[in-house]
Amino acid sequence: MSPHYDVLVIGAGSGSKLVRPVASLGYKVAVVEKDKLGGTCLNRGCIPSKMLIHPADLLSTLTHDFPKFGVNIDVASVKIDQSSLVERTCNEIDEDSASIAHGYDKLSNVTRFAGVASFVDCKTVSVTSTTAVHLLTADKIFIATGCQASIPDIPGLAGTPFLTYRELLRSPTTHESMIVIGGGYIACELGYYAARVGGTRVTFLVREKMLRGEDEDVRAEFEKCFAADFDVRFRLCPTAVRYDNGEFTVIADSTAGSDAVVVKAKSLFVATGVTPDTNQLHLVKAGIETDARGFIRVNDRFETRTPGIYAFGDCIGRHLFKHVANFEGEWLFKTLFARDGWPGYIQRWTDISGGVVYPPIPHAVFSYPQVAGVGLKESQAVAKYGREGIVVGRCDVADVAMGAALRATSGFVKLLFSKSDRKLVGAQMVGEQSSVVIHTAIAFMQMRATVDDLLETIYVHPALVEVVRDAARDAASKIM
């Protein structure tokens, strides 16, 4: 007879938000993971990438900032032991992953299954491991399987030793040369790491624009700075890949009508986006629908069309950020299992029909320069309020005291306000410390602040966050 659980969680990344918290209330919980516990963020995403990118930032400081202050260093003599850095990073995240298993195993009402989950029907899940097949049933099933690298159908690519983010983050070397296919945040972050830490000669092949999902002004500023520092080739579409004698050859057609380009390198990093990691779940057997891209369809309560089965996180394709997946998991816990303990939370983050209300959603790109944002981009604000219904305030990083101290030559903050109620509806930034400074705007948006609230706040002088204040001043002058 199949073991029955109150809750079955498929995916032990952000799915963890529904394991220990639910078990602590006395429910019988099963969690299934086919890979290492902790999901993409811990094992092959956010955390290891930032552990590798930080040394790249240190080297950027040496090469770009030190000369501004008359500090002369023979940069060519500065070397990072890339293999040791990667080994130390992998050891740390592997230890963290193992600690999750130990935590689950201490709980008598949590059962952990290592294997591939697939639906047999709308109430039964098969888990296939290397040694056994388990059939599990549950009252409530939560899918949080995340995404995986999307591999383009380029002739000759299959069967070659190309890298995705999964392999690159554990590779002891990025070799003397690398081709990067893609211009999104994964390409910009890890290509930057390879160029700085690995001393790798990196060539980026970009179809149209870099970071095309960003605010257009921010994207253009990033692209200008990044392309000035690295070999970025635009309007190229790879049409063939060859791998001979330890070397990759990529042939790319020009979308601008120019001649085809041939690029050679020792390694090839494919960073052309992600796709939902749901192909092994056999969703159709449970009556679960997906959209044209394969993301699971859910309503505003994260319910699939099959009663008792929910999905959240990257696999629903709504907001592909770890911090949003965590929020969604916590929202499900508080609304489904612990409503009585969170009345204020329920009131604020649930609409009249019981659906989720998202707080302002932030993001950041940890490249060079950094990019960050929260809320609406300018194009979105115009679409929602009309061109005459918004006010844009801007301040360049170089125009505040700390920007001058840093001798910044690029970067800015852009704030978007609704003219009718003067509220901050979006903030975008590129440049120094963007991933940190943006939190000022996140907090203001969370509190539904107006431009007046921003102006009446005392900012530490001369902290870089004054760039937010001065952008608000610029907006206020236009509103008034």
Side-chain angles (χ1 to χ4, degrees):
M1 184 175 179
S2 303
H4 184 79
Y5 297 88
D6 299 313
V7 171
L8 169 59
V9 179
I10 304 174
S14 292
S16 63
K17 297 296 179 180
L18 289 167
V19 179
R20 277 191 269 193
V22 172
S24 70
L25 299 179
Y27 292 96
K28 185 179 179 183
V29 180
V31 57
V32 181
E33 175 56 60
K34 66 180 180 180
D35 211 314
K36 293 182 178 180
L37 296 175
T40 297
C41 178
L42 174 60
N43 295 289
R44 50 194 176 275
C46 322
I47 296 174
S49 66
K50 304 315 169 284
M51 294 172 73
L52 299 179
I53 289 169
H54 178 64
D57 290 339
L58 297 179
L59 286 173
S60 292
T61 298
L62 287 177
T63 57
H64 289 75
D65 295 336
F66 274 30
K68 298 178 184 177
F69 303 96
V71 180
N72 298 311
I73 292 178
D74 180 9
V75 177
S77 66
V78 179
K79 304 292 183 183
I80 290 182
D81 187 340
Q82 187 179 23
S83 178
S84 295
L85 173 65
V86 172
E87 181 180 12
R88 182 170 64 252
T89 298
C90 291
N91 287 341
E92 288 189 29
I93 62 176
D94 288 347
E95 289 176 6
D96 286 348
S97 177
S99 71
I100 298 173
H102 297 323
Y104 287 164
D105 293 344
K106 290 178 181 178
L107 301 174
S108 60
N109 56 335
V110 172
T111 304
R112 177 169 57 89
F113 293 91
V116 176
S118 59
F119 283 94
V120 176
D121 54 42
C122 62
K123 285 295 182 182
T124 309
V125 172
S126 169
V127 181
T128 303
S129 68
T130 56
T131 58
V133 176
H134 303 275
L135 293 177
L136 315 177
T137 61
D139 295 331
K140 287 184 172 64
I141 300 173
F142 296 88
I143 305 170
T145 51
C147 284
Q148 58 189 346
S150 176
I151 309 302
D153 184 18
I154 303 173
L157 179 62
T160 67
F162 69 90
L163 306 171
T164 68
Y165 59 84
R166 175 187 282 267
E167 294 83 23
L168 180 56
L169 288 169
R170 287 183 175 266
S171 176
T173 177
T174 46
H175 302 286
E176 64 188 55
S177 57
M178 172 184 284
I179 300 167
V180 177
I181 299 178
Y185 77 93
I186 296 174
C188 292
E189 289 189 352
L190 295 184
Y192 163 60
Y193 149 72
R196 285 284 189 266
V197 175
T200 303
R201 187 177 70 256
V202 179
T203 302
F204 294 83
L205 304 183
V206 181
R207 183 186 295 268
E208 294 179 21
K209 304 174 180 179
M210 306 195 87
L211 301 183
R212 61 182 180 180
E214 295 294 334
D215 178 274
E216 181 57 27
D217 290 340
V218 168
R219 188 209 61 74
E221 179 80 351
F222 172 86
E223 188 174 274
K224 179 188 73 175
C225 297
F226 195 85
D229 217 18
F230 303 102
D231 181 9
V232 184
R233 306 186 189 185
F234 294 99
R235 291 173 289 282
L236 292 176
C237 179
T239 56
V241 173
R242 293 198 304 269
Y243 182 72
D244 299 302
N245 300 318
E247 184 175 67
F248 283 94
T249 300
V250 176
I251 302 170
D253 286 348
S254 170
T255 60
S258 304
D259 293 338
V261 172
V262 178
V263 185
K264 296 178 180 290
K266 294 295 184 181
S267 60
L268 174 62
F269 175 38
V270 177
T272 53
V274 296
T275 187
D277 190 3
T278 56
N279 57 315
Q280 295 176 304
L281 287 174
H282 298 165
L283 297 174
V284 68
K285 292 185 177 181
I288 299 171
E289 292 183 339
T290 60
D291 66 15
R293 297 176 299 165
F295 291 102
I296 298 174
R297 293 186 185 275
V298 296
N299 61 18
D300 287 342
R301 295 181 294 279
F302 304 102
E303 298 167 328
T304 68
R305 64 171 293 189
T306 303
I309 301 180
Y310 304 76
F312 67 98
D314 288 2
C315 68
I316 67 172
R318 192 173 285 175
H319 304 287
L320 304 185
F321 305 118
K322 169 66 173 177
H323 41 276
V324 177
N326 285 347
F327 169 82
E328 292 170 348
E330 291 168 358
W331 187 91
L332 282 164
F333 169 69
K334 291 170 182 175
T335 57
L336 291 178
F337 300 100
R339 292 187 68 89
D340 293 343
W342 299 91
Y345 179 97
I346 301 292
Q347 182 179 13
R348 187 167 190 182
W349 304 118
T350 304
D351 63 21
I352 192 170
S353 65
V356 64
V357 175
Y358 286 96
I361 294 176
H363 73 280
V365 180
F366 296 83
S367 188
Y368 192 79
Q370 287 189 0
V371 169
V374 60
L376 300 179
K377 298 186 283 287
E378 184 171 355
S379 60
Q380 295 171 325
V382 170
K384 182 173 183 178
Y385 298 102
R387 171 54 66 185
E388 298 304 315
I390 66 167
V391 174
V392 181
R394 173 169 166 156
C395 179
D396 289 348
V397 173
D399 289 341
V400 298
M402 184 56 72
L406 295 171
R407 300 194 179 179
T409 57
S410 62
F412 60 84
V413 164
K414 183 162 80 168
L415 302 181
L416 307 167
F417 294 89
S418 164
K419 187 178 289 187
S420 61
D421 59 13
R422 304 169 71 89
K423 287 184 179 179
L424 179 66
V425 297
Q428 312 296 327
M429 182 175 182
V430 56
E432 296 274 356
Q433 303 174 31
S434 292
S435 63
V436 176
V437 173
I438 197 65
H439 282 79
T440 301
I442 296 171
F444 277 128
M445 285 194 66
Q446 181 83 352
M447 302 309 295
R448 300 174 173 81
T450 66
V451 64
D452 308 289
D453 295 320
L454 272 71
L455 295 178
E456 293 165 9
T457 298
I458 298 176
Y459 300 77
V460 172
H461 179 74
L464 190 59
V465 73
E466 286 183 322
V467 73
V468 175
R469 178 203 62 192
D470 287 4
R473 287 176 175 175
D474 181 50
S477 69
K478 299 171 183 176
I479 292 178
M480 295 172 183

PDB file of all heavy atoms in Angstrom, residues 159-183:
ATOM      1  N   GLY A 159      26.391  17.171 -28.060  1.00  0.00           N
ATOM      2  CA  GLY A 159      27.503  16.232 -28.018  1.00  0.00           C
ATOM      3  C   GLY A 159      28.856  16.869 -27.793  1.00  0.00           C
ATOM      4  O   GLY A 159      29.851  16.154 -27.605  1.00  0.00           O
ATOM      5  N   THR A 160      28.917  18.195 -27.806  1.00  0.00           N
ATOM      6  CA  THR A 160      30.187  18.883 -27.517  1.00  0.00           C
ATOM      7  C   THR A 160      30.255  19.196 -26.020  1.00  0.00           C
ATOM      8  O   THR A 160      29.228  19.274 -25.350  1.00  0.00           O
ATOM      9  CB  THR A 160      30.305  20.187 -28.314  1.00  0.00           C
ATOM     10  OG1 THR A 160      29.319  21.119 -27.845  1.00  0.00           O
ATOM     11  CG2 THR A 160      30.116  19.936 -29.805  1.00  0.00           C
ATOM     12  N   PRO A 161      31.462  19.418 -25.483  1.00  0.00           N
ATOM     13  CA  PRO A 161      31.592  19.698 -24.048  1.00  0.00           C
ATOM     14  C   PRO A 161      31.343  21.161 -23.689  1.00  0.00           C
ATOM     15  O   PRO A 161      32.136  21.788 -22.983  1.00  0.00           O
ATOM     16  CB  PRO A 161      33.037  19.291 -23.764  1.00  0.00           C
ATOM     17  CG  PRO A 161      33.762  19.560 -25.027  1.00  0.00           C
ATOM     18  CD  PRO A 161      32.783  19.228 -26.135  1.00  0.00           C
ATOM     19  N   PHE A 162      30.232  21.719 -24.206  1.00  0.00           N
ATOM     20  CA  PHE A 162      29.904  23.109 -23.849  1.00  0.00           C
ATOM     21  C   PHE A 162      29.456  23.179 -22.394  1.00  0.00           C
ATOM     22  O   PHE A 162      29.087  22.163 -21.776  1.00  0.00           O
ATOM     23  CB  PHE A 162      28.825  23.656 -24.788  1.00  0.00           C
ATOM     24  CG  PHE A 162      27.465  23.027 -24.611  1.00  0.00           C
ATOM     25  CD1 PHE A 162      26.548  23.550 -23.724  1.00  0.00           C
ATOM     26  CD2 PHE A 162      27.104  21.907 -25.355  1.00  0.00           C
ATOM     27  CE1 PHE A 162      25.294  22.981 -23.561  1.00  0.00           C
ATOM     28  CE2 PHE A 162      25.850  21.329 -25.216  1.00  0.00           C
ATOM     29  CZ  PHE A 162      24.947  21.862 -24.304  1.00  0.00           C
ATOM     30  N   LEU A 163      29.453  24.388 -21.851  1.00  0.00           N
ATOM     31  CA  LEU A 163      29.096  24.619 -20.455  1.00  0.00           C
ATOM     32  C   LEU A 163      27.769  25.346 -20.358  1.00  0.00           C
ATOM     33  O   LEU A 163      27.483  26.240 -21.158  1.00  0.00           O
ATOM     34  CB  LEU A 163      30.160  25.455 -19.746  1.00  0.00           C
ATOM     35  CG  LEU A 163      31.613  24.980 -19.800  1.00  0.00           C
ATOM     36  CD1 LEU A 163      32.532  26.052 -19.223  1.00  0.00           C
ATOM     37  CD2 LEU A 163      31.774  23.676 -19.036  1.00  0.00           C
ATOM     38  N   THR A 164      26.966  24.980 -19.374  1.00  0.00           N
ATOM     39  CA  THR A 164      25.879  25.828 -18.911  1.00  0.00           C
ATOM     40  C   THR A 164      26.306  26.349 -17.539  1.00  0.00           C
ATOM     41  O   THR A 164      27.403  26.049 -17.062  1.00  0.00           O
ATOM     42  CB  THR A 164      24.556  25.052 -18.792  1.00  0.00           C
ATOM     43  OG1 THR A 164      24.663  24.093 -17.720  1.00  0.00           O
ATOM     44  CG2 THR A 164      24.224  24.332 -20.092  1.00  0.00           C
ATOM     45  N   TYR A 165      25.444  27.124 -16.899  1.00  0.00           N
ATOM     46  CA  TYR A 165      25.805  27.639 -15.580  1.00  0.00           C
ATOM     47  C   TYR A 165      26.110  26.510 -14.593  1.00  0.00           C
ATOM     48  O   TYR A 165      26.947  26.651 -13.699  1.00  0.00           O
ATOM     49  CB  TYR A 165      24.716  28.556 -15.031  1.00  0.00           C
ATOM     50  CG  TYR A 165      23.356  27.923 -14.879  1.00  0.00           C
ATOM     51  CD1 TYR A 165      23.018  27.176 -13.759  1.00  0.00           C
ATOM     52  CD2 TYR A 165      22.377  28.087 -15.857  1.00  0.00           C
ATOM     53  CE1 TYR A 165      21.774  26.595 -13.627  1.00  0.00           C
ATOM     54  CE2 TYR A 165      21.125  27.525 -15.728  1.00  0.00           C
ATOM     55  CZ  TYR A 165      20.822  26.776 -14.615  1.00  0.00           C
ATOM     56  OH  TYR A 165      19.576  26.193 -14.477  1.00  0.00           O
ATOM     57  N   ARG A 166      25.430  25.376 -14.751  1.00  0.00           N
ATOM     58  CA  ARG A 166      25.653  24.253 -13.839  1.00  0.00           C
ATOM     59  C   ARG A 166      27.102  23.780 -13.886  1.00  0.00           C
ATOM     60  O   ARG A 166      27.731  23.578 -12.845  1.00  0.00           O
ATOM     61  CB  ARG A 166      24.707  23.098 -14.200  1.00  0.00           C
ATOM     62  CG  ARG A 166      24.953  21.831 -13.383  1.00  0.00           C
ATOM     63  CD  ARG A 166      24.107  20.688 -13.912  1.00  0.00           C
ATOM     64  NE  ARG A 166      22.731  20.786 -13.471  1.00  0.00           N
ATOM     65  CZ  ARG A 166      22.255  20.206 -12.384  1.00  0.00           C
ATOM     66  NH1 ARG A 166      23.058  19.473 -11.610  1.00  0.00           N
ATOM     67  NH2 ARG A 166      20.989  20.308 -12.056  1.00  0.00           N
ATOM     68  N   GLU A 167      27.651  23.618 -15.076  1.00  0.00           N
ATOM     69  CA  GLU A 167      29.028  23.126 -15.204  1.00  0.00           C
ATOM     70  C   GLU A 167      30.045  24.226 -14.932  1.00  0.00           C
ATOM     71  O   GLU A 167      31.085  23.984 -14.310  1.00  0.00           O
ATOM     72  CB  GLU A 167      29.262  22.569 -16.611  1.00  0.00           C
ATOM     73  CG  GLU A 167      28.443  21.324 -16.941  1.00  0.00           C
ATOM     74  CD  GLU A 167      27.040  21.627 -17.402  1.00  0.00           C
ATOM     75  OE1 GLU A 167      26.809  22.763 -17.887  1.00  0.00           O
ATOM     76  OE2 GLU A 167      26.166  20.737 -17.271  1.00  0.00           O
ATOM     77  N   LEU A 168      29.735  25.439 -15.371  1.00  0.00           N
ATOM     78  CA  LEU A 168      30.704  26.525 -15.225  1.00  0.00           C
ATOM     79  C   LEU A 168      31.012  26.817 -13.766  1.00  0.00           C
ATOM     80  O   LEU A 168      32.163  27.080 -13.394  1.00  0.00           O
ATOM     81  CB  LEU A 168      30.174  27.785 -15.916  1.00  0.00           C
ATOM     82  CG  LEU A 168      31.065  29.026 -15.848  1.00  0.00           C
ATOM     83  CD1 LEU A 168      32.452  28.743 -16.412  1.00  0.00           C
ATOM     84  CD2 LEU A 168      30.425  30.184 -16.582  1.00  0.00           C
ATOM     85  N   LEU A 169      29.988  26.765 -12.925  1.00  0.00           N
ATOM     86  CA  LEU A 169      30.183  27.099 -11.515  1.00  0.00           C
ATOM     87  C   LEU A 169      31.043  26.080 -10.773  1.00  0.00           C
ATOM     88  O   LEU A 169      31.511  26.350  -9.673  1.00  0.00           O
ATOM     89  CB  LEU A 169      28.826  27.234 -10.816  1.00  0.00           C
ATOM     90  CG  LEU A 169      28.034  28.486 -11.198  1.00  0.00           C
ATOM     91  CD1 LEU A 169      26.609  28.391 -10.678  1.00  0.00           C
ATOM     92  CD2 LEU A 169      28.720  29.740 -10.670  1.00  0.00           C
ATOM     93  N   ARG A 170      31.241  24.915 -11.363  1.00  0.00           N
ATOM     94  CA  ARG A 170      32.089  23.908 -10.728  1.00  0.00           C
ATOM     95  C   ARG A 170      33.346  23.602 -11.549  1.00  0.00           C
ATOM     96  O   ARG A 170      34.108  22.705 -11.187  1.00  0.00           O
ATOM     97  CB  ARG A 170      31.293  22.617 -10.495  1.00  0.00           C
ATOM     98  CG  ARG A 170      30.275  22.760  -9.366  1.00  0.00           C
ATOM     99  CD  ARG A 170      29.522  21.477  -9.066  1.00  0.00           C
ATOM    100  NE  ARG A 170      28.671  21.649  -7.907  1.00  0.00           N
ATOM    101  CZ  ARG A 170      28.994  21.340  -6.664  1.00  0.00           C
ATOM    102  NH1 ARG A 170      30.186  20.812  -6.402  1.00  0.00           N
ATOM    103  NH2 ARG A 170      28.158  21.531  -5.661  1.00  0.00           N
ATOM    104  N   SER A 171      33.564  24.344 -12.589  1.00  0.00           N
ATOM    105  CA  SER A 171      34.735  24.106 -13.414  1.00  0.00           C
ATOM    106  C   SER A 171      35.964  24.752 -12.780  1.00  0.00           C
ATOM    107  O   SER A 171      35.941  25.944 -12.459  1.00  0.00           O
ATOM    108  CB  SER A 171      34.523  24.691 -14.815  1.00  0.00           C
ATOM    109  OG  SER A 171      35.686  24.551 -15.594  1.00  0.00           O
ATOM    110  N   PRO A 172      37.054  24.001 -12.593  1.00  0.00           N
ATOM    111  CA  PRO A 172      38.252  24.570 -11.958  1.00  0.00           C
ATOM    112  C   PRO A 172      38.966  25.591 -12.833  1.00  0.00           C
ATOM    113  O   PRO A 172      39.819  26.328 -12.358  1.00  0.00           O
ATOM    114  CB  PRO A 172      39.139  23.348 -11.709  1.00  0.00           C
ATOM    115  CG  PRO A 172      38.687  22.338 -12.722  1.00  0.00           C
ATOM    116  CD  PRO A 172      37.223  22.567 -12.886  1.00  0.00           C
ATOM    117  N   THR A 173      38.602  25.659 -14.105  1.00  0.00           N
ATOM    118  CA  THR A 173      39.205  26.635 -15.000  1.00  0.00           C
ATOM    119  C   THR A 173      38.192  27.056 -16.057  1.00  0.00           C
ATOM    120  O   THR A 173      37.309  26.284 -16.431  1.00  0.00           O
ATOM    121  CB  THR A 173      40.456  26.061 -15.699  1.00  0.00           C
ATOM    122  OG1 THR A 173      40.971  27.043 -16.620  1.00  0.00           O
ATOM    123  CG2 THR A 173      40.123  24.788 -16.470  1.00  0.00           C
ATOM    124  N   THR A 174      38.318  28.304 -16.508  1.00  0.00           N
ATOM    125  CA  THR A 174      37.501  28.772 -17.624  1.00  0.00           C
ATOM    126  C   THR A 174      38.352  28.890 -18.891  1.00  0.00           C
ATOM    127  O   THR A 174      37.918  29.475 -19.881  1.00  0.00           O
ATOM    128  CB  THR A 174      36.844  30.124 -17.293  1.00  0.00           C
ATOM    129  OG1 THR A 174      37.808  31.010 -16.715  1.00  0.00           O
ATOM    130  CG2 THR A 174      35.710  29.940 -16.302  1.00  0.00           C
ATOM    131  N   HIS A 175      39.574  28.349 -18.819  1.00  0.00           N
ATOM    132  CA  HIS A 175      40.472  28.244 -19.972  1.00  0.00           C
ATOM    133  C   HIS A 175      40.949  29.628 -20.437  1.00  0.00           C
ATOM    134  O   HIS A 175      40.550  30.657 -19.922  1.00  0.00           O
ATOM    135  CB  HIS A 175      39.802  27.471 -21.112  1.00  0.00           C
ATOM    136  CG  HIS A 175      39.371  26.096 -20.720  1.00  0.00           C
ATOM    137  ND1 HIS A 175      40.276  25.062 -20.546  1.00  0.00           N
ATOM    138  CD2 HIS A 175      38.146  25.579 -20.417  1.00  0.00           C
ATOM    139  CE1 HIS A 175      39.622  23.966 -20.185  1.00  0.00           C
ATOM    140  NE2 HIS A 175      38.331  24.260 -20.093  1.00  0.00           N
ATOM    141  N   GLU A 176      41.800  29.611 -21.430  1.00  0.00           N
ATOM    142  CA  GLU A 176      42.415  30.858 -21.888  1.00  0.00           C
ATOM    143  C   GLU A 176      41.453  31.697 -22.728  1.00  0.00           C
ATOM    144  O   GLU A 176      41.622  32.913 -22.861  1.00  0.00           O
ATOM    145  CB  GLU A 176      43.675  30.555 -22.705  1.00  0.00           C
ATOM    146  CG  GLU A 176      43.407  29.793 -24.002  1.00  0.00           C
ATOM    147  CD  GLU A 176      44.664  29.338 -24.700  1.00  0.00           C
ATOM    148  OE1 GLU A 176      45.473  28.656 -24.051  1.00  0.00           O
ATOM    149  OE2 GLU A 176      44.829  29.677 -25.884  1.00  0.00           O
ATOM    150  N   SER A 177      40.435  31.049 -23.310  1.00  0.00           N
ATOM    151  CA  SER A 177      39.470  31.779 -24.134  1.00  0.00           C
ATOM    152  C   SER A 177      38.101  31.123 -24.010  1.00  0.00           C
ATOM    153  O   SER A 177      37.986  29.921 -23.781  1.00  0.00           O
ATOM    154  CB  SER A 177      39.919  31.806 -25.597  1.00  0.00           C
ATOM    155  OG  SER A 177      40.114  30.496 -26.097  1.00  0.00           O
ATOM    156  N   MET A 178      37.074  31.959 -24.160  1.00  0.00           N
ATOM    157  CA  MET A 178      35.702  31.466 -24.004  1.00  0.00           C
ATOM    158  C   MET A 178      34.768  32.255 -24.912  1.00  0.00           C
ATOM    159  O   MET A 178      34.887  33.482 -25.031  1.00  0.00           O
ATOM    160  CB  MET A 178      35.240  31.604 -22.551  1.00  0.00           C
ATOM    161  CG  MET A 178      33.760  31.289 -22.320  1.00  0.00           C
ATOM    162  SD  MET A 178      33.228  31.566 -20.617  1.00  0.00           S
ATOM    163  CE  MET A 178      33.952  30.110 -19.827  1.00  0.00           C
ATOM    164  N   ILE A 179      33.833  31.559 -25.526  1.00  0.00           N
ATOM    165  CA  ILE A 179      32.727  32.183 -26.250  1.00  0.00           C
ATOM    166  C   ILE A 179      31.496  32.084 -25.362  1.00  0.00           C
ATOM    167  O   ILE A 179      31.194  31.016 -24.826  1.00  0.00           O
ATOM    168  CB  ILE A 179      32.468  31.477 -27.591  1.00  0.00           C
ATOM    169  CG1 ILE A 179      33.703  31.545 -28.489  1.00  0.00           C
ATOM    170  CG2 ILE A 179      31.261  32.093 -28.302  1.00  0.00           C
ATOM    171  CD1 ILE A 179      33.634  30.604 -29.681  1.00  0.00           C
ATOM    172  N   VAL A 180      30.798  33.194 -25.186  1.00  0.00           N
ATOM    173  CA  VAL A 180      29.535  33.208 -24.445  1.00  0.00           C
ATOM    174  C   VAL A 180      28.415  33.487 -25.432  1.00  0.00           C
ATOM    175  O   VAL A 180      28.418  34.528 -26.107  1.00  0.00           O
ATOM    176  CB  VAL A 180      29.543  34.273 -23.334  1.00  0.00           C
ATOM    177  CG1 VAL A 180      28.190  34.305 -22.627  1.00  0.00           C
ATOM    178  CG2 VAL A 180      30.656  34.005 -22.338  1.00  0.00           C
ATOM    179  N   ILE A 181      27.464  32.573 -25.517  1.00  0.00           N
ATOM    180  CA  ILE A 181      26.279  32.791 -26.346  1.00  0.00           C
ATOM    181  C   ILE A 181      25.161  33.265 -25.432  1.00  0.00           C
ATOM    182  O   ILE A 181      24.673  32.521 -24.576  1.00  0.00           O
ATOM    183  CB  ILE A 181      25.859  31.503 -27.088  1.00  0.00           C
ATOM    184  CG1 ILE A 181      26.976  31.042 -28.024  1.00  0.00           C
ATOM    185  CG2 ILE A 181      24.573  31.739 -27.870  1.00  0.00           C
ATOM    186  CD1 ILE A 181      26.666  29.739 -28.755  1.00  0.00           C
ATOM    187  N   GLY A 182      24.766  34.515 -25.591  1.00  0.00           N
ATOM    188  CA  GLY A 182      23.710  35.076 -24.759  1.00  0.00           C
ATOM    189  C   GLY A 182      24.109  36.423 -24.192  1.00  0.00           C
ATOM    190  O   GLY A 182      25.299  36.729 -24.046  1.00  0.00           O
ATOM    191  N   GLY A 183      23.092  37.219 -23.853  1.00  0.00           N
ATOM    192  CA  GLY A 183      23.348  38.538 -23.286  1.00  0.00           C
ATOM    193  C   GLY A 183      22.464  38.856 -22.103  1.00  0.00           C
ATOM    194  O   GLY A 183      22.300  40.019 -21.736  1.00  0.00           O
TER     195      GLY A 183
END
